[in-house]
Amino acid sequence: MGLDVSFSRSGGLPVHTPVDGSVIGAMNPETAASTDAAIERAVAAFTQWRAVPSPRRGELIRRFGNLCRDHKEELSCLVTLDCGKTLDEARGEVQEVIDICDFAVGLSRQLHGLSIATERPNHRMAETWHPLGVFAQISAFNFPVAVWSWGTMIALTCGNAAIWKPSEKSLLSASACAGLLARACEDFAEAPAHLHQILTGGGDVGAQLAADPRVSLISATGSTRMGRSVASTVAARLGRSILELGGNNAAIVTPSANRELVLRGVTFSAAGTSGQRCTSLRRLIVHESVHDELVGQLKRAFSQLRVGNPLEPGVHAGPLIDLPAMEMFNAALDQARAEGGTVHGGQRVLAEDYPDAAYVAPALVEMPSQTPIVHTETFGPILYVMRYRTIEEAIAMNNAVLQGLSSAIFTDNMREAELFTSSLGSDCGIANVNIGTSGAEIGGAFGGEKETGGGRASGSDTWKAYMRRATNTINYSTDLPLAQGVRFDAA
Ligand code: UN1
């Protein structure tokens, strides 16, 4: 069976591919009434699904993971068409979906709580974990399927019903994934109707999900502006959210760093995915003794990268998502120049072949210091390079921005590496040694601090955020001793 891309091809709003700017589909956005009805259906699905034993819930995820394995190549092509990342990176993204399914299957037998020492005789105290309710995921164009799967596979395993509002810029792969999940549910007796629903639309659909008290947990990936709006709406109703927002990720290059690792790690993290990962490397903080030599090597490495049609083999980076993204890229480079920067690369390429697409050469920008533009996340391949003298100064520069997602240090000096990953080091949710800032595995908790939003998704023990924790105190005596020695003997 092939893939089902079921969103409408006619009517509605056009959906473009960044590969050449052409129209590849159309979106008919949800109305307030249809979104409301979907939430109601999800509530009904939840009341059934929560009663299914979690290892059985895991079995559904196993089926979906296997369907993704069977259709990995087609799904990867759709990811490339949707967001313009290279086919190789798109395969990596679909692999993340498969990996989180495997993780969730194992997790389905490990949703265990603590037993806790109680101060009262013949009592038992324990934590139990229960399904929470309706989970909603808002995902961004740049990882059109992986980020959804991190949240949704865990949420379904935890016994929740799920709703997905993908980016309106990347509907092909979203629609195909939702179709495969629906297929996994088809002959799975315990799966209720509408266990997972996909809602197409823009910010208004997301805002409605955030505002609705029937949505127990909302996970949002995207801009800080979007996250601020979701967070304040959810907080006003005292709901729960998981936010994974902007990053402004830095790597420190110390004098002892293995240069080969630096060149490969920095080039992939800065220019891969055309700098459109939230984990993309945007700031390089280089010891003054190796700065000039490294800049020369990086200039060469950047100029050798092949920017082109991401469906073609051998291409390192595809286009930006659209022409407005290229305008922001150009504006950032202009501002960097005005703030004393020297820009290498950064020009538009392939404009004759693809006039409606946004292909740019990655830019390396030497900056005198961390000026205002360096504090800004521009979603494109721009790497600002600055100098440092002491490791303490470098760490302070790493931490000086408002975002706190990912960070890295390249060093062979264990004192520097340990300091960077210690409580006195990087203040980010991800702190790496001798690898770049991007390309995290699904096994770890993914997310960051400060304006990145504080949420964690994917592996480790993030599942706890998708469940309701109950503390149970059970008295199996014939007495009623009160905690803290309180006496109340009226009866
Ligand atoms: C994102 O850009 O929103 O660590 C997610 C990485 C990928 C996920 C990025 N595994 O770069």
Coordinates of all heavy atoms in Angstrom, one line a residue, residues 382-445:
I382 N 23.9 31.3 9.0 CA 24.8 32.4 9.4 C 25.6 32.0 10.6 O 25.0 31.7 11.6 CB 24.0 33.7 9.7 CG1 23.1 34.2 8.5 CG2 25.0 34.8 10.1 CD1 22.3 35.4 8.8
L383 N 26.9 32.0 10.5 CA 27.7 31.7 11.7 C 28.5 32.9 12.0 O 29.4 33.4 11.3 CB 28.6 30.5 11.4 CG 29.5 30.1 12.5 CD1 28.7 29.6 13.7 CD2 30.5 29.0 12.1
Y384 N 28.3 33.5 13.2 CA 29.0 34.6 13.7 C 30.3 34.1 14.5 O 30.1 33.2 15.3 CB 28.2 35.5 14.7 CG 26.9 36.0 14.0 CD1 25.7 35.5 14.4 CD2 27.0 37.0 13.1 CE1 24.5 36.0 13.8 CE2 25.8 37.5 12.5 CZ 24.6 37.0 12.8 OH 23.5 37.5 12.2
V385 N 31.4 34.7 14.2 CA 32.7 34.2 14.8 C 33.2 35.3 15.7 O 33.4 36.4 15.2 CB 33.7 33.7 13.8 CG1 34.9 33.0 14.5 CG2 33.1 32.8 12.8
M386 N 33.5 35.0 16.9 CA 34.1 36.0 17.8 C 35.3 35.4 18.5 O 35.5 34.2 18.6 CB 33.1 36.4 18.9 CG 32.1 37.4 18.5 SD 30.5 36.6 17.8 CE 30.2 35.3 18.8
R387 N 36.2 36.2 19.2 CA 37.4 35.8 19.9 C 37.1 35.8 21.4 O 36.3 36.6 21.9 CB 38.5 36.7 19.7 CG 39.0 36.9 18.3 CD 39.9 38.2 18.2 NE 40.0 38.6 16.8 CZ 41.0 38.2 16.0 NH1 42.0 37.5 16.5 NH2 41.0 38.5 14.7
Y388 N 37.9 34.9 22.1 CA 37.9 35.0 23.6 C 39.3 34.8 24.0 O 40.2 34.3 23.3 CB 37.0 33.9 24.2 CG 37.5 32.5 24.2 CD1 38.3 32.1 25.4 CD2 37.3 31.6 23.2 CE1 38.8 30.8 25.4 CE2 37.8 30.3 23.3 CZ 38.6 29.9 24.4 OH 39.1 28.6 24.4
R389 N 39.6 35.2 25.3 CA 40.9 35.0 25.9 C 40.9 33.9 27.0 O 41.8 33.1 27.0 CB 41.3 36.4 26.6 CG 41.9 37.3 25.6 CD 42.6 38.5 26.3 NE 42.6 39.7 25.3 CZ 41.6 40.5 25.2 NH1 40.6 40.4 26.0 NH2 41.7 41.5 24.3
T390 N 40.0 34.0 27.9 CA 40.0 33.0 29.0 C 38.7 32.1 28.9 O 37.7 32.5 28.3 CB 39.9 33.6 30.4 OG1 38.7 34.3 30.5 CG2 41.1 34.6 30.6
I391 N 38.8 30.9 29.4 CA 37.7 29.9 29.3 C 36.5 30.5 30.0 O 35.3 30.3 29.6 CB 38.1 28.5 29.8 CG1 36.9 27.5 29.5 CG2 38.4 28.5 31.2 CD1 36.7 27.2 28.1
E392 N 36.7 31.2 31.1 CA 35.6 31.8 31.9 C 34.9 32.8 31.0 O 33.6 32.9 31.0 CB 36.1 32.5 33.2 CG 36.5 31.5 34.2 CD 37.9 30.9 34.0 OE1 38.7 31.5 33.1 OE2 38.2 29.9 34.6
E393 N 35.7 33.6 30.3 CA 35.1 34.6 29.4 C 34.2 33.9 28.3 O 33.1 34.3 27.9 CB 36.2 35.5 28.7 CG 35.7 36.5 27.8 CD 36.9 37.1 27.0 OE1 38.0 36.7 27.2 OE2 36.6 38.0 26.1
A394 N 34.8 32.8 27.7 CA 34.1 32.1 26.7 C 32.7 31.5 27.2 O 31.7 31.6 26.5 CB 35.0 31.0 26.1
I395 N 32.7 31.0 28.4 CA 31.5 30.4 28.9 C 30.5 31.6 29.2 O 29.3 31.4 28.9 CB 31.8 29.6 30.2 CG1 32.5 28.3 29.9 CG2 30.5 29.3 31.0 CD1 33.1 27.6 31.0
A396 N 31.0 32.7 29.7 CA 30.1 33.9 29.9 C 29.5 34.3 28.6 O 28.3 34.7 28.5 CB 30.9 35.0 30.5
M397 N 30.3 34.3 27.5 CA 29.7 34.7 26.2 C 28.7 33.6 25.7 O 27.6 34.0 25.2 CB 30.9 34.7 25.1 CG 31.8 35.9 25.3 SD 33.2 35.8 24.2 CE 32.6 36.2 22.6
N398 N 29.0 32.4 25.9 CA 28.0 31.3 25.6 C 26.7 31.6 26.3 O 25.6 31.5 25.7 CB 28.5 29.9 26.0 CG 27.6 28.8 25.8 OD1 27.4 28.4 24.7 ND2 26.8 28.4 26.8
N399 N 26.7 32.0 27.5 CA 25.5 32.2 28.4 C 24.9 33.6 28.2 O 23.8 33.8 28.8 CB 25.8 31.9 29.8 CG 26.3 30.5 30.1 OD1 26.1 29.6 29.2 ND2 26.8 30.2 31.2
A400 N 25.5 34.5 27.5 CA 25.1 35.9 27.5 C 23.8 36.1 26.7 O 23.2 37.2 26.8 CB 26.2 36.8 27.0
V401 N 23.3 35.2 26.0 CA 22.1 35.4 25.1 C 20.8 35.0 25.9 O 20.9 34.3 26.9 CB 22.2 34.6 23.8 CG1 23.3 35.2 23.0 CG2 22.3 33.2 24.0
L402 N 19.7 35.4 25.4 CA 18.4 35.1 26.1 C 18.0 33.6 25.8 O 17.2 33.1 26.6 CB 17.3 36.0 25.6 CG 17.4 37.5 26.1 CD1 16.4 38.4 25.4 CD2 17.1 37.5 27.6
Q403 N 18.4 33.0 24.8 CA 18.0 31.6 24.5 C 19.0 30.6 25.2 O 20.1 31.0 25.5 CB 18.1 31.4 23.0 CG 17.3 32.4 22.1 CD 18.1 33.6 21.7 OE1 19.2 33.9 22.3 NE2 17.7 34.3 20.7
G404 N 18.5 29.4 25.4 CA 19.3 28.4 26.1 C 19.1 27.0 25.7 O 18.9 26.1 26.5
L405 N 19.2 26.8 24.3 CA 18.9 25.4 23.9 C 20.1 24.5 23.8 O 20.3 23.7 24.7 CB 18.2 25.5 22.5 CG 17.9 24.1 21.9 CD1 17.1 23.2 22.8 CD2 17.3 24.2 20.5
S406 N 21.1 24.8 22.9 CA 22.2 23.9 22.7 C 23.5 24.6 22.8 O 23.6 25.8 22.5 CB 22.0 23.1 21.4 OG 23.0 22.1 21.3
S407 N 24.6 23.9 23.1 CA 25.9 24.5 23.2 C 26.9 23.4 23.1 O 26.6 22.2 23.2 CB 26.0 25.1 24.5 OG 25.8 24.2 25.6
A408 N 28.2 23.8 22.8 CA 29.2 22.8 22.6 C 30.6 23.4 22.9 O 30.8 24.6 22.8 CB 29.2 22.2 21.2
I409 N 31.5 22.5 23.3 CA 32.9 23.0 23.5 C 33.8 21.9 22.7 O 33.5 20.7 22.8 CB 33.3 23.1 25.0 CG1 34.7 23.7 25.1 CG2 33.3 21.7 25.7 CD1 35.1 24.1 26.5
F410 N 34.7 22.4 22.0 CA 35.7 21.5 21.4 C 37.0 21.7 22.1 O 37.6 22.8 22.1 CB 35.9 21.9 19.9 CG 34.8 21.5 19.0 CD1 33.7 22.3 18.8 CD2 34.7 20.2 18.4 CE1 32.6 21.9 18.1 CE2 33.7 19.8 17.6 CZ 32.6 20.7 17.4
T411 N 37.4 20.7 22.8 CA 38.7 20.7 23.6 C 39.2 19.3 23.9 O 38.4 18.4 23.9 CB 38.4 21.4 24.9 OG1 39.7 21.6 25.6 CG2 37.4 20.7 25.8
D412 N 40.5 19.2 24.0 CA 41.1 18.0 24.5 C 41.5 18.1 25.9 O 42.2 17.3 26.5 CB 42.3 17.5 23.6 CG 41.8 16.8 22.4 OD1 40.5 16.6 22.3 OD2 42.6 16.5 21.5
N413 N 41.2 19.3 26.6 CA 41.6 19.6 27.9 C 40.4 19.2 28.8 O 39.3 19.8 28.8 CB 41.9 21.1 28.0 CG 42.2 21.5 29.4 OD1 41.8 21.0 30.4 ND2 43.1 22.5 29.5
M414 N 40.6 18.2 29.7 CA 39.4 17.7 30.4 C 39.0 18.7 31.5 O 37.8 18.7 31.8 CB 39.7 16.3 31.1 CG 40.9 16.3 32.1 SD 40.4 16.7 33.8 CE 39.6 15.2 34.3
R415 N 39.8 19.6 31.9 CA 39.4 20.6 32.9 C 38.4 21.5 32.2 O 37.4 21.9 32.8 CB 40.6 21.3 33.5 CG 41.4 20.4 34.4 CD 42.7 21.1 34.9 NE 42.4 22.4 35.5 CZ 43.1 23.5 35.2 NH1 44.1 23.4 34.3 NH2 42.8 24.7 35.7
E416 N 38.7 21.9 31.0 CA 37.8 22.8 30.2 C 36.4 22.1 30.0 O 35.4 22.6 30.1 CB 38.4 23.3 28.9 CG 39.5 24.3 29.1 CD 40.3 24.6 27.8 OE1 40.2 23.8 26.9 OE2 40.9 25.6 27.8
A417 N 36.6 20.8 29.6 CA 35.3 20.1 29.2 C 34.4 19.9 30.4 O 33.2 20.1 30.4 CB 35.7 18.7 28.6
E418 N 35.1 19.5 31.6 CA 34.3 19.3 32.8 C 33.7 20.7 33.3 O 32.5 20.7 33.7 CB 35.1 18.7 33.9 CG 35.5 17.2 33.5 CD 34.3 16.3 33.6 OE1 33.3 16.6 34.3 OE2 34.3 15.2 32.9
L419 N 34.4 21.7 33.2 CA 33.9 23.0 33.6 C 32.7 23.4 32.8 O 31.7 23.9 33.3 CB 35.0 24.1 33.5 CG 34.6 25.5 33.9 CD1 34.3 25.6 35.4 CD2 35.7 26.5 33.5
F420 N 32.8 23.2 31.5 CA 31.7 23.6 30.5 C 30.4 22.8 30.8 O 29.3 23.3 30.7 CB 32.2 23.3 29.1 CG 31.2 23.7 28.1 CD1 31.0 25.1 27.8 CD2 30.4 22.8 27.4 CE1 30.1 25.5 26.8 CE2 29.5 23.2 26.4 CZ 29.3 24.5 26.1
T421 N 30.6 21.5 31.2 CA 29.3 20.7 31.5 C 28.9 20.8 33.0 O 28.0 20.2 33.3 CB 29.6 19.3 31.1 OG1 30.8 18.8 31.6 CG2 29.6 19.1 29.6
S422 N 29.7 21.5 33.8 CA 29.3 21.6 35.2 C 28.3 22.7 35.5 O 27.9 23.4 34.6 CB 30.6 22.0 36.0 OG 30.9 23.4 35.9
S423 N 27.9 22.9 36.7 CA 27.0 23.9 37.1 C 27.5 25.3 36.8 O 26.8 26.3 36.8 CB 26.6 23.8 38.6 OG 27.7 23.9 39.4
L424 N 28.8 25.5 36.7 CA 29.4 26.8 36.4 C 29.6 27.0 34.9 O 30.1 28.0 34.5 CB 30.8 26.9 37.1 CG 30.8 26.7 38.6 CD1 32.2 26.9 39.2 CD2 29.8 27.7 39.3
G425 N 29.1 26.0 34.1 CA 29.4 26.0 32.7 C 28.2 26.5 31.9 O 27.5 27.5 32.3
S426 N 28.0 25.8 30.8 CA 26.9 26.2 29.9 C 25.5 26.2 30.6 O 25.3 25.2 31.4 CB 26.9 25.2 28.7 OG 25.6 25.3 28.0
D427 N 24.7 27.2 30.3 CA 23.4 27.2 31.0 C 22.3 26.6 30.1 O 21.1 26.9 30.3 CB 23.0 28.7 31.4 CG 22.9 29.6 30.1 OD1 23.1 29.1 29.0 OD2 22.6 30.8 30.3
C428 N 22.7 25.8 29.1 CA 21.7 25.4 28.1 C 21.2 24.0 28.4 O 21.8 23.2 29.2 CB 22.4 25.3 26.7 SG 22.9 26.9 26.1
G429 N 20.1 23.6 27.8 CA 19.5 22.2 28.0 C 20.4 21.2 27.3 O 20.3 20.0 27.7
I430 N 21.2 21.5 26.4 CA 22.1 20.6 25.8 C 23.5 21.2 25.8 O 23.7 22.3 25.4 CB 21.7 20.3 24.3 CG1 20.3 19.7 24.2 CG2 22.8 19.5 23.6 CD1 19.8 19.6 22.8
A431 N 24.5 20.4 26.4 CA 25.9 20.9 26.4 C 26.8 19.7 26.0 O 26.9 18.7 26.7 CB 26.2 21.3 27.9
N432 N 27.4 19.9 24.8 CA 28.1 18.8 24.2 C 29.6 19.0 24.3 O 30.1 20.2 24.4 CB 27.7 18.7 22.7 CG 26.3 18.2 22.5 OD1 25.7 17.6 23.4 ND2 25.7 18.6 21.4
V433 N 30.4 18.0 24.2 CA 31.8 18.1 24.1 C 32.3 17.4 22.8 O 32.0 16.2 22.6 CB 32.5 17.4 25.4 CG1 34.0 17.5 25.2 CG2 32.1 18.1 26.6
N434 N 33.0 18.1 22.0 CA 33.6 17.6 20.8 C 32.6 17.0 19.8 O 33.0 16.1 19.0 CB 34.7 16.5 21.1 CG 35.9 17.2 21.8 OD1 36.2 18.3 21.5 ND2 36.7 16.4 22.5
I435 N 31.4 17.5 19.8 CA 30.5 17.3 18.7 C 29.7 18.7 18.6 O 29.8 19.5 19.5 CB 29.4 16.2 18.9 CG1 28.5 16.4 20.1 CG2 30.1 14.9 19.0 CD1 27.3 15.5 20.2
G436 N 29.1 18.9 17.5 CA 28.4 20.1 17.2 C 27.1 20.3 18.1 O 26.8 19.5 19.0
T437 N 26.4 21.4 17.9 CA 25.2 21.7 18.7 C 24.0 21.0 18.2 O 23.0 20.8 19.0 CB 25.0 23.2 18.7 OG1 24.9 23.6 17.3 CG2 26.0 24.0 19.4
S438 N 24.0 20.5 16.9 CA 22.8 19.9 16.4 C 22.9 18.4 16.3 O 24.0 17.9 16.5 CB 22.5 20.5 15.0 OG 23.6 20.1 14.1
G439 N 21.8 17.8 15.9 CA 21.9 16.3 15.6 C 21.8 15.5 16.9 O 22.4 14.4 17.0
A440 N 20.9 15.9 17.8 CA 20.8 15.1 19.1 C 20.1 13.8 18.8 O 19.3 13.7 17.8 CB 20.0 15.9 20.1
E441 N 20.4 12.8 19.6 CA 19.7 11.5 19.5 C 18.4 11.6 20.3 O 18.2 12.4 21.2 CB 20.5 10.4 20.2 CG 21.9 10.2 19.6 CD 22.8 9.2 20.3 OE1 22.2 8.4 21.0 OE2 24.0 9.3 20.2
I442 N 17.4 10.7 20.0 CA 16.1 10.7 20.6 C 16.2 10.2 22.1 O 15.2 10.5 22.8 CB 15.0 9.9 19.9 CG1 15.4 8.5 19.7 CG2 14.8 10.6 18.5 CD1 14.8 7.6 20.8
G443 N 17.2 9.5 22.5 CA 17.2 8.9 23.8 C 17.3 9.9 24.9 O 16.9 9.7 26.1
G444 N 17.9 11.1 24.6 CA 18.0 12.1 25.7 C 16.8 13.0 25.7 O 15.9 13.0 24.8
A445 N 16.7 13.8 26.8 CA 15.6 14.8 26.9 C 16.0 16.0 26.0 O 17.2 16.4 26.1 CB 15.4 15.2 28.3

